[in-house]
Amino acid sequence: MIPILPIGTPVWVVQAAAPAKRRRALAGDGVVSSHVPCGACWQRYVGSGRHITRSSYTAVQAGCDQPVGFVATVRGLPVTVTPGDDTVLAIPITNTERSAA
């Protein structure tokens, strides 16, 4: 289980390349920009037949009490951090200095 960091938390993120997922290697300082809603909240929304938009995703994420991960923005790119993905590592930056990345 990974800790779900609050939105706005500075993090250092490393993401391995995964060509099958069309994902490139990335490393650097970022910030937690949103949470990944749990499966039950997501299925409840999708099952209702509503269209999925950015604002609707934000509403589902905000209404979820047990998020399963978070999204960090690194160099303007979103990186999803979830417990089952061992190709991504996110470490909170706990001091006032930025990381060396």
Side-chain angles (χ1 to χ4, degrees):
M1 183 71 178
I2 64 168
I4 305 302
L5 302 173
I7 293 173
T9 301
V11 289
W12 182 75
V13 178
V14 176
Q15 172 181 272
K21 295 180 182 180
R22 296 176 28 190
R23 195 169 70 185
R24 66 183 187 143
L26 179 68
D29 290 347
V31 64
V32 176
S33 52
S34 66
H35 290 145
V36 177
C38 69
C41 289
W42 185 245
Q43 289 303 319
R44 190 169 35 253
Y45 183 82
V46 173
S48 69
R50 290 182 266 184
H51 182 68
I52 300 168
T53 63
R54 177 181 243 353
S55 62
S56 63
Y57 181 83
T58 301
V60 173
Q61 168 242 312
C64 182
D65 293 334
Q66 297 182 350
V68 295
F70 59 89
V71 177
T73 302
V74 180
R75 298 184 192 151
L77 299 171
V79 178
T80 303
V81 181
T82 57
D85 188 353
D86 59 353
T87 64
V88 178
L89 173 67
I91 301 171
I93 299 172
T94 58
N95 61 20
T96 57
E97 298 290 323
R98 298 302 284 174
S99 77

